[in-house]
Amino acid sequence: MKPVVVNKIINQPVEKIWKAITERSEMIQWFFDNIPDFEAEEGFKTWFVVTSEERSFYHLWEVTDIVPNKVLKVEWTYPDYVKEPFLVTFQLEIESKEQTKMTVLAEGIEKFEHLDIPEFKRESCKGGWEYFTSRLKEYLE
């Protein structure tokens, strides 16, 4: 299955966006506000719970690859639903000195196809990343 792909042009230099996607104090401003900790280093793990309507989603994240100011890859696992992770990749490309293209790729969401849970549907994944990338853009601009 093709990954979910969301692109966003953000009117900020790449270094500022990198900081916003890799430093907890910034992440909680636009992403999940209950992230307990985050380190932009391979092997770093963290977990937290997000509640949506009547369900709770235990998130387990592990940083799997990092190229500063360019690529951050994080495996997301929801152990209460599917044991295998899916991969979220943040890619940053310099468009100009004050403009950066951010691409978010979510790969492996087909692992959730057998579940009848709206939050795990492709449309929900795409909508979620549209929402979070828009919040990031608003936060930084």
Side-chain angles (χ1 to χ4, degrees):
M1 180 180 278
K2 294 185 345 184
V4 169
V5 179
V6 173
N7 293 298
K8 193 73 65 183
I9 299 293
I10 301 175
N11 297 312
Q12 292 293 334
V14 70
E15 296 83 7
K16 189 160 186 171
I17 298 166
W18 183 257
K19 185 176 176 184
I21 67 172
T22 61
E23 292 186 14
R24 181 194 175 274
S25 62
E26 301 245 355
M27 294 168 76
I28 62 173
Q29 303 301 314
W30 64 273
F31 208 14
F32 296 105
D33 61 3
N34 62 335
I35 297 171
D37 196 14
F38 192 83
E39 298 293 331
E41 59 185 52
E42 268 186 58
F44 175 81
K45 293 180 184 180
T46 193
W47 68 272
F48 57 98
V49 176
V50 174
T51 303
S52 172
E53 296 180 18
E54 71 277 356
R55 289 188 233 357
S56 292
F57 297 93
Y58 173 89
H59 289 60
L60 176 60
W61 289 358
E62 181 175 356
V63 177
T64 60
D65 192 19
I66 187 162
V67 179
N69 295 318
K70 292 185 180 182
V71 176
L72 172 66
K73 291 186 180 190
V74 180
E75 284 187 345
W76 289 37
T77 305
Y78 296 96
D80 295 336
Y81 298 98
V82 175
K83 303 297 182 211
E84 295 178 56
F86 73 98
L87 184 65
V88 175
T89 303
F90 296 86
Q91 296 177 336
L92 302 179
E93 298 174 54
I94 297 170
E95 294 284 302
S96 69
K97 185 177 179 184
E98 293 295 319
Q99 196 173 62
T100 304
K101 177 182 176 184
M102 182 172 77
T103 302
V104 177
L105 291 98
E107 302 173 87
I109 62 168
E110 65 275 3
K111 296 172 186 176
F112 301 97
E113 284 179 339
H114 68 285
L115 300 172
D116 189 27
I117 298 174
E119 292 87 351
F120 288 138
K121 300 297 181 200
R122 183 177 184 83
E123 301 77 31
S124 180
C125 182
K126 178 127 176 114
W129 285 114
E130 291 286 355
Y131 170 77
F132 283 121
T133 58
S134 293
R135 281 186 47 138
L136 175 61
K137 182 176 173 72
E138 289 171 19
Y139 168 67
L140 291 174
E141 293 181 1

PDB file of all heavy atoms in Angstrom, residues 85-116:
ATOM      1  N   PRO A  85       5.125  -2.151  14.384  1.00  0.00           N
ATOM      2  CA  PRO A  85       5.097  -0.695  14.234  1.00  0.00           C
ATOM      3  C   PRO A  85       4.818  -0.272  12.789  1.00  0.00           C
ATOM      4  O   PRO A  85       4.949  -1.051  11.860  1.00  0.00           O
ATOM      5  CB  PRO A  85       6.518  -0.289  14.627  1.00  0.00           C
ATOM      6  CG  PRO A  85       7.354  -1.466  14.247  1.00  0.00           C
ATOM      7  CD  PRO A  85       6.479  -2.674  14.488  1.00  0.00           C
ATOM      8  N   PHE A  86       4.410   0.983  12.658  1.00  0.00           N
ATOM      9  CA  PHE A  86       4.440   1.604  11.344  1.00  0.00           C
ATOM     10  C   PHE A  86       5.434   2.748  11.449  1.00  0.00           C
ATOM     11  O   PHE A  86       5.853   3.129  12.534  1.00  0.00           O
ATOM     12  CB  PHE A  86       3.047   2.001  10.839  1.00  0.00           C
ATOM     13  CG  PHE A  86       2.410   3.191  11.490  1.00  0.00           C
ATOM     14  CD1 PHE A  86       2.476   4.437  10.888  1.00  0.00           C
ATOM     15  CD2 PHE A  86       1.722   3.068  12.681  1.00  0.00           C
ATOM     16  CE1 PHE A  86       1.862   5.535  11.467  1.00  0.00           C
ATOM     17  CE2 PHE A  86       1.099   4.154  13.267  1.00  0.00           C
ATOM     18  CZ  PHE A  86       1.174   5.394  12.659  1.00  0.00           C
ATOM     19  N   LEU A  87       5.863   3.257  10.319  1.00  0.00           N
ATOM     20  CA  LEU A  87       6.956   4.217  10.284  1.00  0.00           C
ATOM     21  C   LEU A  87       6.458   5.594   9.866  1.00  0.00           C
ATOM     22  O   LEU A  87       5.744   5.732   8.865  1.00  0.00           O
ATOM     23  CB  LEU A  87       8.029   3.738   9.297  1.00  0.00           C
ATOM     24  CG  LEU A  87       9.301   4.567   9.200  1.00  0.00           C
ATOM     25  CD1 LEU A  87      10.083   4.540  10.511  1.00  0.00           C
ATOM     26  CD2 LEU A  87      10.175   4.038   8.066  1.00  0.00           C
ATOM     27  N   VAL A  88       6.850   6.603  10.646  1.00  0.00           N
ATOM     28  CA  VAL A  88       6.559   7.995  10.295  1.00  0.00           C
ATOM     29  C   VAL A  88       7.893   8.668  10.008  1.00  0.00           C
ATOM     30  O   VAL A  88       8.818   8.616  10.821  1.00  0.00           O
ATOM     31  CB  VAL A  88       5.827   8.726  11.434  1.00  0.00           C
ATOM     32  CG1 VAL A  88       5.647  10.202  11.085  1.00  0.00           C
ATOM     33  CG2 VAL A  88       4.479   8.064  11.697  1.00  0.00           C
ATOM     34  N   THR A  89       7.982   9.282   8.830  1.00  0.00           N
ATOM     35  CA  THR A  89       9.197   9.971   8.417  1.00  0.00           C
ATOM     36  C   THR A  89       8.895  11.445   8.202  1.00  0.00           C
ATOM     37  O   THR A  89       7.948  11.791   7.499  1.00  0.00           O
ATOM     38  CB  THR A  89       9.757   9.381   7.106  1.00  0.00           C
ATOM     39  OG1 THR A  89       9.997   7.981   7.296  1.00  0.00           O
ATOM     40  CG2 THR A  89      11.050  10.064   6.697  1.00  0.00           C
ATOM     41  N   PHE A  90       9.692  12.292   8.832  1.00  0.00           N
ATOM     42  CA  PHE A  90       9.644  13.726   8.597  1.00  0.00           C
ATOM     43  C   PHE A  90      10.850  14.057   7.713  1.00  0.00           C
ATOM     44  O   PHE A  90      11.985  13.775   8.101  1.00  0.00           O
ATOM     45  CB  PHE A  90       9.775  14.511   9.907  1.00  0.00           C
ATOM     46  CG  PHE A  90       8.654  14.297  10.876  1.00  0.00           C
ATOM     47  CD1 PHE A  90       8.686  13.230  11.767  1.00  0.00           C
ATOM     48  CD2 PHE A  90       7.579  15.169  10.922  1.00  0.00           C
ATOM     49  CE1 PHE A  90       7.660  13.039  12.685  1.00  0.00           C
ATOM     50  CE2 PHE A  90       6.552  14.980  11.835  1.00  0.00           C
ATOM     51  CZ  PHE A  90       6.587  13.914  12.716  1.00  0.00           C
ATOM     52  N   GLN A  91      10.592  14.634   6.557  1.00  0.00           N
ATOM     53  CA  GLN A  91      11.676  15.043   5.653  1.00  0.00           C
ATOM     54  C   GLN A  91      11.613  16.550   5.479  1.00  0.00           C
ATOM     55  O   GLN A  91      10.535  17.103   5.225  1.00  0.00           O
ATOM     56  CB  GLN A  91      11.527  14.385   4.286  1.00  0.00           C
ATOM     57  CG  GLN A  91      11.657  12.888   4.310  1.00  0.00           C
ATOM     58  CD  GLN A  91      11.423  12.257   2.944  1.00  0.00           C
ATOM     59  OE1 GLN A  91      10.764  12.825   2.076  1.00  0.00           O
ATOM     60  NE2 GLN A  91      11.959  11.077   2.758  1.00  0.00           N
ATOM     61  N   LEU A  92      12.761  17.201   5.592  1.00  0.00           N
ATOM     62  CA  LEU A  92      12.836  18.647   5.421  1.00  0.00           C
ATOM     63  C   LEU A  92      13.721  18.963   4.226  1.00  0.00           C
ATOM     64  O   LEU A  92      14.818  18.411   4.089  1.00  0.00           O
ATOM     65  CB  LEU A  92      13.403  19.307   6.676  1.00  0.00           C
ATOM     66  CG  LEU A  92      12.640  19.061   7.976  1.00  0.00           C
ATOM     67  CD1 LEU A  92      13.341  19.750   9.140  1.00  0.00           C
ATOM     68  CD2 LEU A  92      11.203  19.519   7.865  1.00  0.00           C
ATOM     69  N   GLU A  93      13.231  19.842   3.353  1.00  0.00           N
ATOM     70  CA  GLU A  93      13.983  20.285   2.180  1.00  0.00           C
ATOM     71  C   GLU A  93      13.968  21.804   2.144  1.00  0.00           C
ATOM     72  O   GLU A  93      12.901  22.420   2.245  1.00  0.00           O
ATOM     73  CB  GLU A  93      13.346  19.760   0.898  1.00  0.00           C
ATOM     74  CG  GLU A  93      13.313  18.255   0.773  1.00  0.00           C
ATOM     75  CD  GLU A  93      12.542  17.823  -0.462  1.00  0.00           C
ATOM     76  OE1 GLU A  93      12.879  18.296  -1.571  1.00  0.00           O
ATOM     77  OE2 GLU A  93      11.582  17.046  -0.301  1.00  0.00           O
ATOM     78  N   ILE A  94      15.129  22.391   1.976  1.00  0.00           N
ATOM     79  CA  ILE A  94      15.233  23.844   1.893  1.00  0.00           C
ATOM     80  C   ILE A  94      14.670  24.296   0.551  1.00  0.00           C
ATOM     81  O   ILE A  94      15.104  23.821  -0.501  1.00  0.00           O
ATOM     82  CB  ILE A  94      16.698  24.299   2.047  1.00  0.00           C
ATOM     83  CG1 ILE A  94      17.220  23.916   3.430  1.00  0.00           C
ATOM     84  CG2 ILE A  94      16.819  25.799   1.805  1.00  0.00           C
ATOM     85  CD1 ILE A  94      18.721  24.108   3.607  1.00  0.00           C
ATOM     86  N   GLU A  95      13.691  25.196   0.604  1.00  0.00           N
ATOM     87  CA  GLU A  95      13.130  25.798  -0.603  1.00  0.00           C
ATOM     88  C   GLU A  95      13.835  27.124  -0.883  1.00  0.00           C
ATOM     89  O   GLU A  95      14.085  27.466  -2.026  1.00  0.00           O
ATOM     90  CB  GLU A  95      11.620  26.037  -0.441  1.00  0.00           C
ATOM     91  CG  GLU A  95      10.820  24.749  -0.332  1.00  0.00           C
ATOM     92  CD  GLU A  95      10.650  24.053  -1.663  1.00  0.00           C
ATOM     93  OE1 GLU A  95      10.112  24.664  -2.598  1.00  0.00           O
ATOM     94  OE2 GLU A  95      11.068  22.885  -1.774  1.00  0.00           O
ATOM     95  N   SER A  96      14.108  27.871   0.173  1.00  0.00           N
ATOM     96  CA  SER A  96      14.859  29.122   0.110  1.00  0.00           C
ATOM     97  C   SER A  96      15.391  29.381   1.518  1.00  0.00           C
ATOM     98  O   SER A  96      15.149  28.591   2.432  1.00  0.00           O
ATOM     99  CB  SER A  96      13.963  30.283  -0.351  1.00  0.00           C
ATOM    100  OG  SER A  96      13.006  30.588   0.639  1.00  0.00           O
ATOM    101  N   LYS A  97      16.074  30.485   1.711  1.00  0.00           N
ATOM    102  CA  LYS A  97      16.666  30.777   3.019  1.00  0.00           C
ATOM    103  C   LYS A  97      15.616  30.812   4.132  1.00  0.00           C
ATOM    104  O   LYS A  97      15.881  30.401   5.256  1.00  0.00           O
ATOM    105  CB  LYS A  97      17.405  32.112   2.950  1.00  0.00           C
ATOM    106  CG  LYS A  97      18.160  32.449   4.202  1.00  0.00           C
ATOM    107  CD  LYS A  97      18.928  33.735   4.057  1.00  0.00           C
ATOM    108  CE  LYS A  97      19.657  34.038   5.350  1.00  0.00           C
ATOM    109  NZ  LYS A  97      20.342  35.321   5.294  1.00  0.00           N
ATOM    110  N   GLU A  98      14.417  31.266   3.817  1.00  0.00           N
ATOM    111  CA  GLU A  98      13.367  31.411   4.814  1.00  0.00           C
ATOM    112  C   GLU A  98      12.145  30.539   4.545  1.00  0.00           C
ATOM    113  O   GLU A  98      11.064  30.815   5.041  1.00  0.00           O
ATOM    114  CB  GLU A  98      12.929  32.881   4.914  1.00  0.00           C
ATOM    115  CG  GLU A  98      14.005  33.795   5.475  1.00  0.00           C
ATOM    116  CD  GLU A  98      14.366  33.484   6.926  1.00  0.00           C
ATOM    117  OE1 GLU A  98      13.460  33.200   7.723  1.00  0.00           O
ATOM    118  OE2 GLU A  98      15.569  33.519   7.247  1.00  0.00           O
ATOM    119  N   GLN A  99      12.325  29.486   3.757  1.00  0.00           N
ATOM    120  CA  GLN A  99      11.190  28.624   3.429  1.00  0.00           C
ATOM    121  C   GLN A  99      11.654  27.174   3.329  1.00  0.00           C
ATOM    122  O   GLN A  99      12.672  26.878   2.706  1.00  0.00           O
ATOM    123  CB  GLN A  99      10.571  29.069   2.104  1.00  0.00           C
ATOM    124  CG  GLN A  99       9.194  28.516   1.861  1.00  0.00           C
ATOM    125  CD  GLN A  99       8.569  29.115   0.621  1.00  0.00           C
ATOM    126  OE1 GLN A  99       9.090  28.942  -0.478  1.00  0.00           O
ATOM    127  NE2 GLN A  99       7.457  29.805   0.795  1.00  0.00           N
ATOM    128  N   THR A 100      10.864  26.282   3.946  1.00  0.00           N
ATOM    129  CA  THR A 100      11.205  24.863   4.001  1.00  0.00           C
ATOM    130  C   THR A 100       9.993  24.034   3.607  1.00  0.00           C
ATOM    131  O   THR A 100       8.868  24.329   4.010  1.00  0.00           O
ATOM    132  CB  THR A 100      11.649  24.465   5.428  1.00  0.00           C
ATOM    133  OG1 THR A 100      12.741  25.298   5.823  1.00  0.00           O
ATOM    134  CG2 THR A 100      12.058  23.007   5.501  1.00  0.00           C
ATOM    135  N   LYS A 101      10.246  22.988   2.825  1.00  0.00           N
ATOM    136  CA  LYS A 101       9.187  22.016   2.509  1.00  0.00           C
ATOM    137  C   LYS A 101       9.326  20.860   3.483  1.00  0.00           C
ATOM    138  O   LYS A 101      10.387  20.256   3.592  1.00  0.00           O
ATOM    139  CB  LYS A 101       9.329  21.506   1.082  1.00  0.00           C
ATOM    140  CG  LYS A 101       8.304  20.447   0.714  1.00  0.00           C
ATOM    141  CD  LYS A 101       8.521  19.950  -0.699  1.00  0.00           C
ATOM    142  CE  LYS A 101       7.559  18.837  -1.040  1.00  0.00           C
ATOM    143  NZ  LYS A 101       7.839  18.286  -2.380  1.00  0.00           N
ATOM    144  N   MET A 102       8.245  20.595   4.205  1.00  0.00           N
ATOM    145  CA  MET A 102       8.223  19.445   5.103  1.00  0.00           C
ATOM    146  C   MET A 102       7.292  18.394   4.513  1.00  0.00           C
ATOM    147  O   MET A 102       6.164  18.696   4.129  1.00  0.00           O
ATOM    148  CB  MET A 102       7.734  19.811   6.499  1.00  0.00           C
ATOM    149  CG  MET A 102       7.773  18.603   7.431  1.00  0.00           C
ATOM    150  SD  MET A 102       7.414  19.000   9.149  1.00  0.00           S
ATOM    151  CE  MET A 102       5.659  19.167   9.043  1.00  0.00           C
ATOM    152  N   THR A 103       7.793  17.169   4.431  1.00  0.00           N
ATOM    153  CA  THR A 103       6.995  16.034   3.978  1.00  0.00           C
ATOM    154  C   THR A 103       6.895  15.044   5.124  1.00  0.00           C
ATOM    155  O   THR A 103       7.910  14.704   5.734  1.00  0.00           O
ATOM    156  CB  THR A 103       7.643  15.354   2.750  1.00  0.00           C
ATOM    157  OG1 THR A 103       7.781  16.320   1.707  1.00  0.00           O
ATOM    158  CG2 THR A 103       6.812  14.187   2.263  1.00  0.00           C
ATOM    159  N   VAL A 104       5.678  14.612   5.399  1.00  0.00           N
ATOM    160  CA  VAL A 104       5.453  13.569   6.402  1.00  0.00           C
ATOM    161  C   VAL A 104       4.951  12.342   5.650  1.00  0.00           C
ATOM    162  O   VAL A 104       3.990  12.430   4.886  1.00  0.00           O
ATOM    163  CB  VAL A 104       4.425  13.998   7.468  1.00  0.00           C
ATOM    164  CG1 VAL A 104       4.162  12.853   8.448  1.00  0.00           C
ATOM    165  CG2 VAL A 104       4.899  15.239   8.211  1.00  0.00           C
ATOM    166  N   LEU A 105       5.642  11.213   5.838  1.00  0.00           N
ATOM    167  CA  LEU A 105       5.222   9.942   5.243  1.00  0.00           C
ATOM    168  C   LEU A 105       4.861   8.982   6.365  1.00  0.00           C
ATOM    169  O   LEU A 105       5.654   8.797   7.291  1.00  0.00           O
ATOM    170  CB  LEU A 105       6.363   9.312   4.436  1.00  0.00           C
ATOM    171  CG  LEU A 105       6.778  10.016   3.167  1.00  0.00           C
ATOM    172  CD1 LEU A 105       7.993  10.860   3.442  1.00  0.00           C
ATOM    173  CD2 LEU A 105       7.095   8.989   2.131  1.00  0.00           C
ATOM    174  N   ALA A 106       3.684   8.385   6.270  1.00  0.00           N
ATOM    175  CA  ALA A 106       3.267   7.354   7.222  1.00  0.00           C
ATOM    176  C   ALA A 106       3.174   6.052   6.435  1.00  0.00           C
ATOM    177  O   ALA A 106       2.328   5.909   5.556  1.00  0.00           O
ATOM    178  CB  ALA A 106       1.933   7.711   7.865  1.00  0.00           C
ATOM    179  N   GLU A 107       4.071   5.114   6.750  1.00  0.00           N
ATOM    180  CA  GLU A 107       4.144   3.845   6.023  1.00  0.00           C
ATOM    181  C   GLU A 107       3.759   2.689   6.936  1.00  0.00           C
ATOM    182  O   GLU A 107       4.155   2.656   8.090  1.00  0.00           O
ATOM    183  CB  GLU A 107       5.572   3.616   5.516  1.00  0.00           C
ATOM    184  CG  GLU A 107       6.064   4.728   4.604  1.00  0.00           C
ATOM    185  CD  GLU A 107       7.526   4.568   4.268  1.00  0.00           C
ATOM    186  OE1 GLU A 107       7.823   3.850   3.298  1.00  0.00           O
ATOM    187  OE2 GLU A 107       8.351   5.139   5.004  1.00  0.00           O
ATOM    188  N   GLY A 108       2.985   1.767   6.381  1.00  0.00           N
ATOM    189  CA  GLY A 108       2.625   0.571   7.129  1.00  0.00           C
ATOM    190  C   GLY A 108       1.258   0.632   7.771  1.00  0.00           C
ATOM    191  O   GLY A 108       0.917  -0.235   8.582  1.00  0.00           O
ATOM    192  N   ILE A 109       0.448   1.620   7.412  1.00  0.00           N
ATOM    193  CA  ILE A 109      -0.872   1.708   8.034  1.00  0.00           C
ATOM    194  C   ILE A 109      -1.790   0.558   7.626  1.00  0.00           C
ATOM    195  O   ILE A 109      -2.791   0.301   8.285  1.00  0.00           O
ATOM    196  CB  ILE A 109      -1.551   3.058   7.766  1.00  0.00           C
ATOM    197  CG1 ILE A 109      -1.784   3.266   6.266  1.00  0.00           C
ATOM    198  CG2 ILE A 109      -0.763   4.202   8.358  1.00  0.00           C
ATOM    199  CD1 ILE A 109      -2.706   4.424   5.958  1.00  0.00           C
ATOM    200  N   GLU A 110      -1.397  -0.165   6.577  1.00  0.00           N
ATOM    201  CA  GLU A 110      -2.206  -1.329   6.173  1.00  0.00           C
ATOM    202  C   GLU A 110      -2.235  -2.404   7.257  1.00  0.00           C
ATOM    203  O   GLU A 110      -3.109  -3.264   7.274  1.00  0.00           O
ATOM    204  CB  GLU A 110      -1.706  -1.918   4.847  1.00  0.00           C
ATOM    205  CG  GLU A 110      -0.314  -2.507   4.899  1.00  0.00           C
ATOM    206  CD  GLU A 110       0.816  -1.501   4.700  1.00  0.00           C
ATOM    207  OE1 GLU A 110       0.562  -0.285   4.576  1.00  0.00           O
ATOM    208  OE2 GLU A 110       1.971  -1.940   4.688  1.00  0.00           O
ATOM    209  N   LYS A 111      -1.313  -2.340   8.205  1.00  0.00           N
ATOM    210  CA  LYS A 111      -1.297  -3.296   9.324  1.00  0.00           C
ATOM    211  C   LYS A 111      -2.544  -3.159  10.199  1.00  0.00           C
ATOM    212  O   LYS A 111      -2.840  -4.034  11.001  1.00  0.00           O
ATOM    213  CB  LYS A 111      -0.046  -3.087  10.177  1.00  0.00           C
ATOM    214  CG  LYS A 111       1.239  -3.380   9.431  1.00  0.00           C
ATOM    215  CD  LYS A 111       2.450  -2.983  10.238  1.00  0.00           C
ATOM    216  CE  LYS A 111       3.698  -3.163   9.397  1.00  0.00           C
ATOM    217  NZ  LYS A 111       4.896  -2.700  10.080  1.00  0.00           N
ATOM    218  N   PHE A 112      -3.266  -2.044  10.029  1.00  0.00           N
ATOM    219  CA  PHE A 112      -4.455  -1.776  10.831  1.00  0.00           C
ATOM    220  C   PHE A 112      -5.752  -2.037  10.072  1.00  0.00           C
ATOM    221  O   PHE A 112      -6.830  -1.834  10.621  1.00  0.00           O
ATOM    222  CB  PHE A 112      -4.441  -0.322  11.309  1.00  0.00           C
ATOM    223  CG  PHE A 112      -3.236   0.019  12.131  1.00  0.00           C
ATOM    224  CD1 PHE A 112      -2.134   0.633  11.560  1.00  0.00           C
ATOM    225  CD2 PHE A 112      -3.189  -0.284  13.477  1.00  0.00           C
ATOM    226  CE1 PHE A 112      -1.015   0.946  12.314  1.00  0.00           C
ATOM    227  CE2 PHE A 112      -2.074   0.024  14.246  1.00  0.00           C
ATOM    228  CZ  PHE A 112      -0.992   0.638  13.666  1.00  0.00           C
ATOM    229  N   GLU A 113      -5.650  -2.474   8.802  1.00  0.00           N
ATOM    230  CA  GLU A 113      -6.834  -2.650   7.954  1.00  0.00           C
ATOM    231  C   GLU A 113      -7.876  -3.579   8.562  1.00  0.00           C
ATOM    232  O   GLU A 113      -9.069  -3.365   8.393  1.00  0.00           O
ATOM    233  CB  GLU A 113      -6.437  -3.195   6.580  1.00  0.00           C
ATOM    234  CG  GLU A 113      -5.814  -2.174   5.682  1.00  0.00           C
ATOM    235  CD  GLU A 113      -5.419  -2.772   4.336  1.00  0.00           C
ATOM    236  OE1 GLU A 113      -5.264  -4.009   4.232  1.00  0.00           O
ATOM    237  OE2 GLU A 113      -5.273  -1.989   3.395  1.00  0.00           O
ATOM    238  N   HIS A 114      -7.441  -4.596   9.272  1.00  0.00           N
ATOM    239  CA  HIS A 114      -8.371  -5.583   9.826  1.00  0.00           C
ATOM    240  C   HIS A 114      -9.158  -5.059  11.034  1.00  0.00           C
ATOM    241  O   HIS A 114     -10.128  -5.667  11.458  1.00  0.00           O
ATOM    242  CB  HIS A 114      -7.614  -6.861  10.204  1.00  0.00           C
ATOM    243  CG  HIS A 114      -6.680  -6.670  11.358  1.00  0.00           C
ATOM    244  ND1 HIS A 114      -5.474  -6.012  11.235  1.00  0.00           N
ATOM    245  CD2 HIS A 114      -6.789  -7.031  12.661  1.00  0.00           C
ATOM    246  CE1 HIS A 114      -4.872  -5.988  12.417  1.00  0.00           C
ATOM    247  NE2 HIS A 114      -5.647  -6.594  13.296  1.00  0.00           N
ATOM    248  N   LEU A 115      -8.743  -3.921  11.570  1.00  0.00           N
ATOM    249  CA  LEU A 115      -9.415  -3.356  12.735  1.00  0.00           C
ATOM    250  C   LEU A 115     -10.551  -2.436  12.301  1.00  0.00           C
ATOM    251  O   LEU A 115     -10.411  -1.673  11.362  1.00  0.00           O
ATOM    252  CB  LEU A 115      -8.420  -2.554  13.586  1.00  0.00           C
ATOM    253  CG  LEU A 115      -7.227  -3.334  14.132  1.00  0.00           C
ATOM    254  CD1 LEU A 115      -6.243  -2.383  14.783  1.00  0.00           C
ATOM    255  CD2 LEU A 115      -7.693  -4.383  15.132  1.00  0.00           C
ATOM    256  N   ASP A 116     -11.653  -2.507  12.984  1.00  0.00           N
ATOM    257  CA  ASP A 116     -12.782  -1.627  12.685  1.00  0.00           C
ATOM    258  C   ASP A 116     -12.740  -0.433  13.639  1.00  0.00           C
ATOM    259  O   ASP A 116     -13.631  -0.233  14.464  1.00  0.00           O
ATOM    260  CB  ASP A 116     -14.103  -2.391  12.801  1.00  0.00           C
ATOM    261  CG  ASP A 116     -15.268  -1.570  12.291  1.00  0.00           C
ATOM    262  OD1 ASP A 116     -15.050  -0.694  11.426  1.00  0.00           O
ATOM    263  OD2 ASP A 116     -16.398  -1.782  12.775  1.00  0.00           O
TER     264      ASP A 116
END
